[in-house]
Amino acid sequence: MKDRILLFIPAYNCQKQIIRVLGQLDADLMHYITGVIVVNNRSTDDTELVVKGFMERHPDIPVTLLRNKENYGLGGSHKVAFSYAAEHTYDYVIVLHGDDQGTLEDFLPVLKSRYYTKHDCILGARFMRGSRLEGYSVFRTFGNIVYNFLFAAVVRRRIFDLGSGLNMYSMKMLREAYYEKFPDNLMFNYCMILAGEYYRQDIRFYPVSWREEDQVSNVRMINQAMTVLKMLFDYYR
């Protein structure tokens, strides 16, 4: 039986980029994807109108548009998507951020070979051999690598990325819904990494391409860095 794979696209104020993300859904990729949900996290621009326009022009692509009641943050949108996948009996969830920094085609070999079936999750990695960065600053690259090493020291395994915008999860690893107690903000992905170690889940990193062009970052770097350090220290204790 063919695996039921849900593509989840979190979207917040990305009206310029979301159409390019949806434009990635060609026949090759849709051969493996059962359904697509775009979760609009209360965007204040025309993100939702752009998605609706795409849906009208491409009725053959099974896109469902959801709107959060409030701005739940990136982690909150993940919770919505995971719950939706469980309710609609999907086997796997692919996460692709709506700001067009990642390329879904990078996971095409993963889908074709069914490599994903051998592990609990496949995490896109921007900082491992074979990855490709475009327009990403040296400062941010260095900062990410430092934090990867810090997390690796705590969980005692190689960490190549703490949270890119292209990941794939088995619903089997999520059926206990432990993620519901994680924060709704950008810390969600970091908590998922720590949970993977705590629950002894089989996590694999996979090199991906990543670009920064016209995207607007929602990351407050200094505040986030301090929060992550505190969270890592608390976990280590």
Side-chain angles (χ1 to χ4, degrees):
M1 182 181 294
K2 184 177 179 181
D3 295 320
R4 286 175 50 79
I5 299 176
L6 175 69
L7 175 63
F8 154 52
I9 304 175
Y12 176 71
N13 286 357
C14 52
Q15 64 179 33
K16 295 180 180 179
Q17 299 84 19
I18 190 68
I19 193 64
R20 302 199 300 258
V21 174
L22 293 169
Q24 296 181 30
L25 305 181
D26 59 20
D28 284 345
L29 286 164
M30 291 310 299
H31 174 73
Y32 302 97
I33 295 171
T34 310
V36 181
I37 58 169
V38 178
V39 179
N40 176 21
N41 194 34
R42 305 302 296 188
S43 296
T44 57
D45 64 1
D46 289 333
T47 294
E48 188 164 307
L49 290 177
V50 172
V51 175
K52 288 180 177 178
F54 178 88
M55 293 168 63
E56 291 172 359
R57 294 190 301 274
H58 301 276
D60 55 316
I61 300 179
V63 178
T64 298
L65 176 61
L66 305 179
R67 184 195 305 129
N68 289 338
K69 293 181 179 179
E70 300 177 22
N71 185 326
Y72 295 143
L74 181 62
S77 291
H78 273 74
K79 295 175 185 179
V80 169
F82 291 162
S83 296
Y84 180 96
E87 181 180 347
H88 292 82
T89 64
Y90 281 94
D91 302 306
Y92 297 89
V93 177
I94 297 177
V95 182
L96 175 65
H97 286 192
D99 59 4
D100 192 40
Q101 290 184 287
T103 302
L104 185 57
E105 189 177 6
D106 288 343
F107 268 17
L108 196 52
V110 172
L111 295 170
K112 285 183 175 180
S113 65
R114 302 189 75 240
Y115 175 68
Y116 62 89
T117 64
K118 302 175 182 178
H119 309 287
D120 290 319
C121 64
I122 310 294
L123 302 181
R126 297 165 291 178
F127 310 104
M128 71 183 297
R129 181 172 296 181
S131 64
R132 299 174 302 282
L133 289 176
E134 182 180 331
Y136 208 74
S137 73
V138 174
F139 176 74
R140 292 185 67 184
T141 299
F142 175 76
N144 274 277
I145 291 174
V146 168
Y147 272 80
N148 290 344
F149 275 110
L150 290 174
F151 268 72
V154 171
V155 301
R156 297 181 178 87
R157 60 159 295 166
R158 291 292 300 274
I159 301 294
F160 292 99
D161 205 314
L162 294 174
S164 79
L166 179 58
N167 300 305
M168 186 170 187
Y169 300 93
S170 165
M171 287 304 297
K172 289 181 180 178
M173 72 173 280
L174 302 172
R175 61 186 165 197
E176 300 299 327
Y178 56 80
Y179 55 82
E180 287 288 352
K181 56 192 175 184
F182 295 164
D184 288 341
N185 56 27
L186 295 172
M187 300 297 108
F188 183 85
N189 282 332
Y190 306 146
C191 290
M192 290 292 286
I193 291 283
L194 296 177
E197 187 274 335
Y198 181 82
Y199 291 110
R200 299 292 187 266
Q201 293 169 339
D202 184 5
I203 298 173
R204 288 292 182 273
F205 291 91
Y206 192 85
V208 297
S209 54
W210 200 253
R211 63 187 175 277
E212 286 200 351
E213 296 174 348
D214 54 358
Q215 295 85 0
V216 178
S217 175
N218 295 309
V219 178
R220 295 181 176 88
M221 293 183 65
I222 301 300
N223 180 63
Q224 178 169 316
M226 298 304 296
T227 303
V228 172
L229 281 177
K230 182 180 184 305
M231 180 183 68
L232 194 58
F233 178 74
D234 290 341
Y235 180 86
Y236 182 73
R237 288 192 303 175

